[in-house]
Amino acid sequence: MSGPPVDLAVVGAGPAGTAASVTAARAGLSVVLLDRATFPRDKCCGDGLTVGALRILDQLGLDPAAVPSWTPVRGAVVSGPSGREVEFPLPDGPGVFAVTARRVQLDDALVDLARRAGATVIEDRAVTGVTQHDDSVELQSVDGPIVRASYVVAADGMWSSVRKLLGVGPADYRGEWHAFRQYFCDVSRRAGRELRVWFEPDFLPGYAWSFPLGDGRANVGFGIQRGSSYEVGDMKHLWPDILARPTVRGFLGAGARPESPHKAWPIPARVDEMVLTHGRVLFVGDAAAATDPMTGEGIGQALATGTWAAEAILTSGDRPDPVAEVAAAYEAQVRRQLVPDHRLARMLVRALRHRKGARAALWTASLTPWTRRNFARWLFEDYPRAVLLTPGRWRRGMLRGEGAFADGSIARNAAATNES
């Protein structure tokens, strides 16, 4: 594709890229969304959606009915390094505060949402060249020019090809976390409906999980931090041992069996140190290393950064130096909204590296029904992690807000999509 320049080209059609595309297209910008894959395509992930992610999906107009594995969960059961189990319930309603959904289905639904919002979607096209001009950016593939755009949002993952082509990426970056997951079927009734986390003493501050996906299936995996007691190369050999541990095997049930091969992926969590913009290019999601350094959660951060990037571009207008102002607006949002939470989470990770720290954290969070309920809301990003340290982000009723997709929201979003 070539021809007249468009307002925005987005590279990468995951949550960050589709959020940027939907936001910009609905505001009237011409948008081209590119991805090297053909959808639907699988994506290694824990498949968990926090309420922070869900609220943005709600605002974007996603219909949960478009995601067959969409499974609301009402809390989490956390097992500490000593084996003590604590249940952390989420509010009963209205709305939902946590969901699990297969990324292959979620991302496919988001691409369709971007297409219906007005974005031109180009699949199976890898970007192999980026040329910045004074008034635009040109993207090329092996077959020649793809598109010329006033701005580019790079949402192409941790190993962002756009970042590499521009020469602004950290050399030999391999991420702060490494995760490992496998889908299981015929799991126990409990595993089919309950979200479970194990803080095993031998790979703290990492943890193992089982997330329900409906129909007797679960996403089961574990994550470790680089520099922990295990190396990344140990993960394949550690996996059978984790599955054989009595707490994990007993929870999954004797009939549980893998329905797909195991997969591993790195997780970038360095948003406070990354270059977020370069000329007319803005980096979002994993390309901005925006993942939470404590939990490894990244979908909410991807959706948020994609939305903020599009909003920054929309406000540029006819200002004297629009490129600089777009960059400043986007970077200010990231620094204000993500960096304080990122730094607090990184501090907490230090405590979770040790059994005593993990036990103390679990004990404190479970003191009363109030602490258990509010820890669950904090863990699932119902409000900013470091909100008490950043009064400027506080708003009235923040600790009592409803969940996402409350009554009527799906119908309203569908109407908004049709009107656009």
Side-chain angles (χ1 to χ4, degrees), residues 133-159:
H133 304 281
D134 289 341
D135 61 347
S136 62
V137 184
E138 185 178 358
L139 302 178
Q140 300 98 25
S141 71
V142 292
D143 299 321
I146 307 174
V147 67
R148 190 170 177 138
S150 297
Y151 291 93
V152 168
V153 167
D156 49 347
M158 177 178 147
W159 288 299

Side-chain angles (χ1 to χ4, degrees), residues 325-366:
E325 295 194 31
V326 166
Y330 172 59
E331 290 176 11
Q333 271 286 65
V334 174
R335 303 298 179 199
R336 179 174 180 266
Q337 301 289 358
L338 289 187
V339 170
D341 303 329
H342 179 93
R343 289 176 175 168
L344 175 65
R346 199 162 53 191
M347 290 172 56
L348 295 173
V349 165
R350 297 191 189 108
L352 294 174
R353 286 185 180 277
H354 310 285
R355 295 189 190 189
K356 287 184 179 180
R359 285 198 299 264
L362 188 62
W363 179 83
T364 303
S366 64

Side-chain angles (χ1 to χ4, degrees), residues 380-394:
F380 284 94
E381 300 177 344
D382 188 16
Y383 45 84
R385 289 264 166 80
V387 70
L388 295 179
L389 305 177
T390 51
R393 295 190 293 169
W394 186 265

Side-chain angles (χ1 to χ4, degrees), residues 7-10 17-32 60 117-119 153 306-307 309-311 313-314:
D7 296 316
L8 175 63
V10 181
T18 50
S21 299
V22 171
T23 303
R26 283 197 182 145
L29 297 190
S30 53
V31 179
V32 171
L60 292 174
V153 167
T307 302
E311 290 173 346
I313 293 167
L314 288 168

Side-chain angles (χ1 to χ4, degrees), residues 60-396:
L60 292 174
L62 178 74
D63 185 352
V67 186
S69 58
W70 186 273
T71 306
V73 294
R74 289 298 181 183
V77 175
V78 179
S79 178
S82 64
R84 178 182 178 230
E85 295 182 6
V86 181
E87 183 175 358
F88 294 100
L90 286 162
D92 290 331
V96 293
F97 290 80
V99 162
T100 56
R102 289 181 185 251
R103 283 289 301 276
V104 64
Q105 297 170 356
L106 175 67
D107 288 12
D108 193 43
L110 285 171
V111 169
D112 183 62
L113 186 65
R115 188 180 286 112
R116 289 188 288 114
T120 298
V121 179
I122 301 176
E123 302 176 58
D124 193 25
R125 187 74 63 88
V127 173
T128 59
V130 180
T131 304
Q132 293 225 48
H133 304 281
D134 289 341
D135 61 347
S136 62
V137 184
E138 185 178 358
L139 302 178
Q140 300 98 25
S141 71
V142 292
D143 299 321
I146 307 174
V147 67
R148 190 170 177 138
S150 297
Y151 291 93
V152 168
V153 167
D156 49 347
M158 177 178 147
W159 288 299
S160 168
S161 59
V162 174
R163 184 181 286 280
K164 289 180 179 178
L165 289 166
L166 291 173
V168 294
D172 301 321
Y173 181 51
R174 295 182 295 166
E176 279 66 41
W177 281 81
H178 213 82
F180 202 92
R181 73 103 160 105
Q182 191 167 25
Y183 288 121
F184 279 76
C185 59
D186 298 329
V187 299
S188 70
R189 183 179 178 184
R190 189 179 179 189
R193 57 182 172 80
E194 185 179 289
L195 189 151
R196 185 65 178 265
V197 173
W198 294 274
F199 283 99
E200 294 290 282
D202 56 324
F203 53 87
L204 291 173
Y207 62 93
W209 71 77
S210 175
F211 291 174
L213 289 169
D215 195 27
R217 289 174 164 81
N219 178 319
V220 186
F222 75 107
I224 61 171
Q225 278 211 333
R226 290 190 180 276
S228 63
S229 55
Y230 289 104
E231 298 295 331
V232 171
D234 297 328
M235 296 185 77
K236 181 177 179 180
H237 304 293
L238 181 59
W239 185 227
D241 171 63
I242 291 174
L243 292 175
R245 296 183 186 191
T247 52
V248 177
R249 173 49 61 188
F251 177 76
L252 295 178
R257 55 188 177 85
E259 68 169 21
S260 62
H262 54 68
K263 293 187 177 182
W265 74 102
I267 299 176
R270 197 188 291 185
V271 70
D272 58 334
E273 301 176 16
M274 295 293 278
V275 174
L276 298 175
T277 63
H278 184 74
R280 292 177 173 271
V281 178
L282 290 73
F283 300 99
V284 299
D286 279 2
T291 302
D292 185 289
M294 183 178 69
T295 64
E297 150 65 11
I299 297 177
Q301 290 83 348
L303 292 164
T305 52
T307 302
W308 297 334
E311 290 173 346
I313 293 167
L314 288 168
T315 59
S316 63
D318 297 322
R319 297 179 181 179
D321 190 354
V323 176
E325 295 194 31
V326 166
Y330 172 59
E331 290 176 11
Q333 271 286 65
V334 174
R335 303 298 179 199
R336 179 174 180 266
Q337 301 289 358
L338 289 187
V339 170
D341 303 329
H342 179 93
R343 289 176 175 168
L344 175 65
R346 199 162 53 191
M347 290 172 56
L348 295 173
V349 165
R350 297 191 189 108
L352 294 174
R353 286 185 180 277
H354 310 285
R355 295 189 190 189
K356 287 184 179 180
R359 285 198 299 264
L362 188 62
W363 179 83
T364 303
S366 64
L367 280 174
T368 68
W370 185 91
T371 60
R372 287 193 291 273
R373 183 173 61 255
N374 280 280
F375 175 77
R377 297 185 75 154
W378 177 84
L379 185 65
F380 284 94
E381 300 177 344
D382 188 16
Y383 45 84
R385 289 264 166 80
V387 70
L388 295 179
L389 305 177
T390 51
R393 295 190 293 169
W394 186 265
R395 55 179 172 76
R396 190 177 183 85

